[in-house]
Each structure stands twice: as structure tokens, then as C-alpha cells.
Amino acid sequence: MNQTKLLARRASLLSLFVFAAAVVCFAQAPPEVSKVEPPNWWAGHSINPVRVLLRGRNLSGARVEAVGASVQTGLVRANAAGTYLFVDVHIDRSAPPGMRRLRVTNGAGQTTEAPFEISAPLSRAGRFQGFTSDDVIYFIMPDRFADADPANNNPSKSPGLYDRSKPRYYHGGDFQGIIDRLPYLKELGVTALWFNPVYDNNDRLNDRETYPEVEGGEKRPITDYHGYGPVDFYGVEEHYGSMAKLKELVEKAHAAGIKVIQDQVANHTGPYHPWVKDPPTPTWFYGTEEKHLSNNWQKWTTMNPRATYQTQRRNLEGWFIDILPDLNQDDEEVRRYLIQNTLWWLGTIGFDAIRMDTLPHVPRHFWRDWTTAIEREYPTVNVLGELFDGDPALLSYFQRGRTGHDRIDTGIHTLYDFPLHYALRDAFAKGQEIRKIQTVLAHDFLYPNPDVLVPFVGVHDMLRFMNEPGATTDGLKLAQTLVMTTRGTPLLYYGDEIAMPGGGDPDNRRDFPGGFPGDARNAFDERGRTPAENNVFNHLKLLGRLRAQLEPLRRGKSFDLYDAEQQYAYARTTGTSSVIVVFNNDTKPATISFDVTGVGVSRDAKLAVHLGTASRGSVKDGMLQITLPARTATILTEK
């Protein structure tokens, strides 16, 4: 082939290539963005740049530029399907608040724009406070507490999920209902509020029809009224109310002197999250909807020095109850997303602390990174971790200040005291030895800081106290006395203040009587409660008042003074004042005697009785002798 023909052929091929490229560009669909996460950020934040996740269509090969002052974009990366873009957004420290835009341009020059806001930071005064042992936490399931806004019971976005006659559907409780009951909480002595996650949950009913429940193979519809199945980590569940109403709730709680603890989930999403069928990265989840491990609840594997990766996998990678998609915190984008999401909620709403779900099913290195990021931006915010187990050795392994065999300190400030929970149920409901409680507390040496643990009578994942075999209101009052006088920050579960009954899930999540239109009575009011309910309510109210008045009950060191099969006594002392708490769990009166000189009580002190009908105790030569009626407790101080 001569030179002229060769050049002509090359020119022809080049023309064909240019024509084909033009056809491709002409046929390429324009980019679309349907979701921006996070939708806003702050100048001067400890995270800068912020990694923004854009969800949409036709995003392959796109570039992104910031439109507006004091903002620039950096890294841009699309997933293979062209449905997600990861974009680094740099915000100048002096950037003024206001709306900006992210302009997405594809290879054909087609563009779309997505809003992105630089927000003014919330004032830190009266926010991000953390909770302490001075507080009393009250736990609410928003859907089951009070319905003050019927307009959000059956939203157009998610119709058909509301039905009070069905225990696993929405019942109508909402943010406004909690706002309206803040005076009730103040009367009870509550100073901190924890409620279930407020993330937007699924909008469909029975798409999958049912899924297996843990207990007895029961099946249930997927409605996620409880909040633990998010489909949008940046949205608010519309059955509860709006983002604005959530902000109002937190602001009004703060104005009433009540802190607010946000419930968060970092282990999993709900089964209907868009990520499940279209993940942003190939390793966003451990496994897929069609092929994944099922969680086997073996929490010990994460602290077992003999454990290998293969023996830990089902605990860390298994899908909770075999259906909640397990997020892969070893994926760098997942890690960034979750950390930023936590900080976004804190900065947007002004929460004071975080309650974190399913602690042991997430890699410990993630908790270290996560808590470090929180402390860097909000150093006074603390974290309450859920580790559903009765072994103090396991709980203590996850508390801040304890470095494990993996050389990791999780940074988790405190945990629910499940071991004490089980012991007090055995003693005060089932009538077993009260010594079980002292045995649990004797393991406090395992914790880096046992004085910040959170003792409780019940929560939403177990049958209520009154449904335990042998439970009585006298036993419930004993359990409440222990929780309100022992070390740590006491937690109350809504309805326990009126001895509400309830079996396993969902019966343990009954509607609070009087919180819903058409209720036969209103237990928020003394006149609507039965005599037995008022007896328990007034007992707990008194305990709240005593805890506020007597500093040792909140901050004192703990010393065991007497332990027997059914009697137990301990002191809480600050060094300048002391409180003595005595229990008789027996079915008959008991007279006991013990030395109190080592806890700051005078050798011949006269004592004041603050609780119960105990015979007035006397101290002679340092020995306190006291008689208690059957199944009662007393609280004593020196006059």
C-alpha cells in the first residue's frame, strides 16, 4: 500500500471514530442527582474536607465543581453503575453561611446541579452536654408514648402502616406528644431523655411480607416502628414528625433542664434501604441480600485472644436476625459516612449524648476512630453503648480506658449494666437471693470506671419486670430503689413508673395509657392511675427527689456494709456526708446489725429515715441495728 492510500485510510478511520464518539456523546443521558449526603456542613469544622455522597443516575465519568464562594471540590469518584459519586468538598474556615451548589458535568458536557449548604453552627451553650451520674434518664419509644398530632399518623409518603389494633404497626406516638409530656417527666425527676432512632424508616408494608423473629420462629411484618431499620440516615421518620419538630423537641427539653440522648445505629441498615440493591461500593455491606452470613450472637469472639478472623466473621459480618444488612466498617467510605453522619446529627439538632446500638457486632477499631472523631469536635458529648450480655468481663472490655489484646481502646464512655439488671430481676421479681446483686457489684474492679455505668430495671428488648415469674409491685419498688441509689446513672423505661405489664416483644412496647385519642384513662395524671400505679409512681418520684437532694446518692463512693441471703446494706459517701441504703428482700421482717464507723457515720449518731417504714435505726458504739418489714428498703442519713 503506497503512502497516499495509507494516509487516506487513516483519515477515514479517524473520521469514523470522531463520528462514533459524537453519537455516543449525543446519546448519553444527562446526569441526575436525587440525594446529597450530608446536605450541609459547617465552616471551621474538625472534618474538612467533608466527603459528600451523591446518589442518582448517569454519573459515570462525571466531574463536580462547587458553585459559590469559599467552597472547592477535590476528589471525585463514581461507582461502576454510575449511581453514586463520592466528592470531597473543601470549605474555607471563613466561609459565610448560605446555600451553595454542586455542579455535575458528564463527558458530553451535560450538567445538573445539587444544593449544598454551609450552615451556621449551633451555639454550644446548653447543648452537647453529655450526661453524668447527676442525671436520671428516661427511655421513650416515641411511637408508643403519646400521640399529639394525628395528622402524621398515616402520611401520604408511607400509607397503610398505622393501625393501633396491630402490635407491630405504627400507633401514632410522635415528637409533639413528648413535648407535651415534658412537665410529666419533670415531675418524675427526669433530667435526661433517650428515645429510639428517629431515622426515616421504610415506607412500604409487607413488600417482603414477613421475616423470622428470634423468639420462637414467630413471623412479623416489616414496619420498623421502633426505628432500627433506617432507609435514610439523613431523614426523619415522618410518623414522628419533621426535622423542625425534632429540633423544637430538643430545644424545649433543654429549656426544661432535660438533656437529650440520640439513639444511633452504625451496625446495619433496614432491609429496604436503596443501598441493599445498589450499594455505593462493592464492599459497602458484608455480603449481599442473596448471600450473606447470619449473625450468631457470639459476642465473645471480639475479645478472645485465640480468635481468628474466621471465628469472628459471623459476629462481625453476619446480618442481624438474618435480614438487617450489615455495614462493612472496613470499607473506608462506609467508615467516613458513618462518622460524618454522627457528627451531622449532633451539629444539626444539638443532642447531648449518643446511645449506640449493637456495640459488639462492629469492629473495635471503628469505635476507636468514631469516638475519637466525636471527641475532637464535641469533647463533652459522651456515648452509652449497648452490649446485651450479663457478663461484666465482656462489658468491661468495651469501656473507655481498657486496652484489649488487640491494643485498641474503643473510647466508649459507658455501657448498660446488664449484669446488674439480671441480678435485680432474679432477686426482686423471682425472689431469689439478694446476694446475687452484691456478687455482680463485686465485679466492678473489672471496669475502668464502674461509677458511670447505667443500671436499669428494663428496656424495650425484654419482657417487663411485672411479667417476670413472681413479680409484685413491692418487688418493683425494691428494684427501682436499687437502681436509683447504686453507682452510675439510673435509667427508667417508660411505663415502669406505673408498673406497666408486658411480655416479650412487642407486648413489652405497649401504648402508654392516656397518650392516645380515645384511651379509657389517662395515667399521665394522678386521677387516671389506679391506687397501685400511684403507689409505684409516688415511690419513684420520691426516689428522684432524694437522689437530687442527697449528693452521695449521685456522686458518692460505694461500700458494702452487710450481705446475707435476703438482706443487703451499702453506703454511698462523699467524705463529707453519707447515705446508708438497706434492703430486706425476705417475705418476713428482719433485724440486722452492722458497723458504720468506716463510712463517716458518728459512733452514736442519730439517723433520719428518708424512705420506707423501717423501725428507726440507732447507732451505738458504731453499730447500726435496724428492723425492716418484709420486702422493703430504707434510706438513712445522719441527722
Side-chain angles (χ1 to χ4, degrees):
M1 182 180 295
N2 60 37
Q3 187 70 16
T4 301
K5 289 183 177 180
L6 180 61
L7 290 174
R9 184 168 183 178
R10 286 179 177 175
S12 177
L13 289 173
L14 179 60
S15 298
L16 184 61
F17 174 79
V18 171
F19 175 76
V23 170
V24 169
C25 290
F26 180 79
Q28 185 173 354
E32 299 176 17
V33 175
S34 57
K35 183 75 170 171
V36 181
E37 303 177 83
N40 61 286
W41 207 249
W42 301 269
H45 199 279
S46 56
I47 290 183
N48 188 29
V50 59
R51 181 70 53 84
V52 177
L53 178 61
L54 304 180
R55 183 169 80 228
R57 296 193 303 174
N58 312 318
L59 302 177
S60 295
R63 64 182 187 274
V64 182
E65 61 180 322
V67 179
S70 307
V71 181
Q72 299 83 36
T73 56
L75 172 144
V76 177
R77 183 168 63 243
N79 71 338
T83 51
Y84 293 94
L85 278 177
F86 295 96
V87 183
D88 278 353
V89 177
H90 300 258
I91 303 171
D92 293 353
R93 290 190 63 84
S94 59
M99 190 61 69
R100 309 299 199 273
R101 301 187 305 280
L102 299 176
R103 181 175 294 155
V104 181
T105 306
N106 66 9
Q110 298 166 313
T111 67
T112 189
E113 291 186 350
F116 183 80
E117 182 179 7
I118 298 177
S119 299
L122 295 174
S123 168
R124 305 221 169 191
R127 298 184 176 95
F128 319 120
Q129 304 169 85
F131 66 87
T132 72
S133 59
D134 284 344
D135 289 308
V136 175
I137 303 171
Y138 189 87
F139 169 37
I140 290 174
M141 297 199 73
D143 182 62
R144 304 302 161 94
F145 191 61
D147 179 3
D149 185 5
N152 58 35
N153 287 351
N154 197 30
S156 58
K157 178 176 180 286
S158 50
L161 302 181
Y162 169 80
D163 190 337
R164 283 193 70 197
S165 69
K166 297 178 180 178
R168 298 193 188 277
Y169 284 59
Y170 285 97
H171 288 188
D174 47 41
F175 296 144
Q176 187 63 52
I178 299 174
I179 291 172
D180 291 351
R181 302 303 178 184
L182 290 175
Y184 170 83
L185 300 180
K186 289 290 289 183
E187 180 188 3
L188 194 58
V190 171
T191 64
L193 182 60
W194 157 43
F195 42 80
N196 294 121
V198 299
Y199 309 120
D200 189 17
N201 279 255
N202 76 294
D203 300 331
R204 293 173 285 177
L205 177 64
N206 291 339
D207 180 68
R208 193 188 294 245
E209 291 189 356
T210 56
Y211 68 86
E213 175 58 285
V214 175
E215 300 91 353
E218 176 194 358
K219 294 186 175 182
R220 67 185 190 183
I222 303 174
T223 56
D224 295 331
Y225 67 90
H226 44 69
Y228 293 101
V231 298
D232 182 356
F233 282 96
Y234 283 94
V236 166
E237 173 50 49
E238 64 276 7
H239 285 87
Y240 300 163
S242 64
M243 188 74 74
K245 185 59 69 173
L246 175 60
K247 291 179 181 179
E248 180 186 345
L249 166 56
V250 174
E251 289 169 1
K252 288 187 173 178
H254 284 161
I258 297 176
K259 302 171 182 177
V260 184
I261 302 168
Q262 184 194 11
D263 200 335
Q264 292 196 4
V265 181
N267 177 62
H268 57 263
T269 72
Y272 293 120
H273 198 295
W275 294 336
V276 178
K277 296 188 181 300
D278 180 27
T281 71
T283 55
W284 196 261
F285 294 110
Y286 290 115
T288 65
E289 187 177 22
E290 294 76 23
K291 185 178 181 181
H292 58 261
L293 296 173
S294 176
N295 187 286
N296 67 352
W297 305 79
Q298 293 299 314
K299 299 178 282 282
W300 275 95
T301 60
T302 55
M303 64 174 290
N304 179 6
R306 296 163 49 103
T308 60
Y309 173 71
Q310 60 189 342
T311 60
Q312 296 183 23
R313 283 191 65 203
R314 291 192 64 183
N315 176 55
L316 292 175
E317 301 180 12
W319 289 28
F320 205 70
I321 57 174
D322 200 29
I323 198 167
L324 295 178
D326 199 82
L327 290 163
N328 176 10
Q329 293 81 15
D330 287 319
D331 182 305
E332 176 60 19
E333 296 298 348
V334 172
R335 188 190 75 85
R336 282 175 175 265
Y337 181 97
L338 292 172
I339 289 173
Q340 290 180 175
N341 184 253
T342 287
L343 298 178
W344 183 86
W345 280 104
L346 290 171
T348 300
I349 305 298
F351 290 111
D352 298 291
I354 296 169
R355 181 265 186 189
M356 178 50 73
D357 192 53
T358 56
L359 201 66
H361 304 304
V362 173
R364 284 164 49 86
H365 63 76
F366 173 78
W367 295 133
R368 175 197 60 203
D369 297 346
W370 180 73
T371 54
T372 298
I374 294 171
E375 186 168 351
R376 185 181 299 119
E377 184 64 31
Y378 301 107
T380 53
V381 167
N382 55 355
V383 177
L384 168 60
E386 182 213 28
L387 203 165
F388 203 132
D389 199 279
D391 193 323
L394 180 56
L395 270 69
S396 65
Y397 194 76
F398 280 82
Q399 191 183 30
R400 181 178 188 168
R402 170 77 175 271
T403 301
H405 72 279
D406 52 10
R407 301 184 181 180
I408 291 173
D409 181 337
T410 66
I412 301 295
H413 301 86
T414 188
L415 304 105
Y416 295 90
D417 197 345
F418 275 94
L420 185 59
H421 157 80
Y422 290 119
L424 69 83
R425 289 249 178 150
D426 286 345
F428 298 135
K430 302 173 186 177
Q432 298 177 15
E433 291 187 9
I434 198 173
R435 185 175 280 141
K436 282 190 171 186
I437 292 171
Q438 193 270 346
T439 301
V440 167
L441 293 169
H443 287 79
D444 275 3
F445 72 92
L446 292 170
Y447 297 96
N449 187 1
D451 292 334
V452 299
L453 294 173
V454 175
F456 63 98
V457 174
V459 289
H460 60 310
D461 289 325
M462 58 196 60
L463 52 81
R464 286 187 180 264
F465 183 95
M466 293 304 296
N467 274 58
E468 291 280 10
T472 64
T473 54
D474 286 340
L476 176 59
K477 289 162 62 178
L478 287 172
Q480 291 170 340
T481 302
L482 182 90
V483 164
M484 294 288 280
T485 60
T486 192
R487 84 287 186 265
T489 306
L491 170 70
L492 314 175
Y493 182 37
Y494 86 97
D496 279 356
E497 71 270 25
I498 58 169
M500 186 183 289
D505 175 18
D507 190 45
N508 54 355
R509 305 170 179 184
R510 296 184 187 184
D511 299 347
F512 194 100
F516 299 81
D519 282 359
R521 64 190 184 95
N522 179 17
F524 286 110
D525 188 274
E526 179 181 4
R527 294 164 295 181
R529 296 191 284 263
T530 67
E533 289 172 341
N534 271 318
N535 182 266
V536 175
F537 180 90
N538 291 331
H539 174 79
L540 193 53
K541 179 179 174 180
L542 173 60
L543 287 171
R545 186 166 68 247
L546 291 175
R547 186 176 177 84
Q549 293 172 350
L550 303 174
E551 183 185 12
L553 292 180
R554 295 177 278 113
R555 303 177 182 177
K557 292 183 178 294
S558 302
F559 298 95
D560 288 343
L561 300 174
Y562 187 89
D563 70 292
E565 182 176 333
Q566 290 296 11
Q567 291 77 41
Y568 181 38
Y570 53 83
R572 305 288 311 280
T573 178
T574 61
T576 58
S577 61
S578 300
V579 177
I580 296 171
V581 186
V582 188
F583 292 85
N584 177 24
N585 194 45
D586 208 341
T587 55
K588 59 183 183 293
T591 300
I592 60 175
S593 179
F594 49 87
D595 189 344
V596 294
T597 56
V599 292
V601 178
S602 303
R603 294 187 62 82
D604 294 299
K606 296 186 181 299
L607 300 178
V609 179
H610 298 275
L611 178 77
T613 57
S615 300
R616 192 172 295 273
S618 60
V619 179
K620 185 174 183 181
D621 294 330
M623 296 296 293
L624 167 61
Q625 182 172 328
I626 190 168
T627 300
L628 275 76
R631 305 222 74 194
T632 62
T634 190
I635 297 175
L636 310 169
T637 60
E638 186 172 355
K639 288 184 177 179

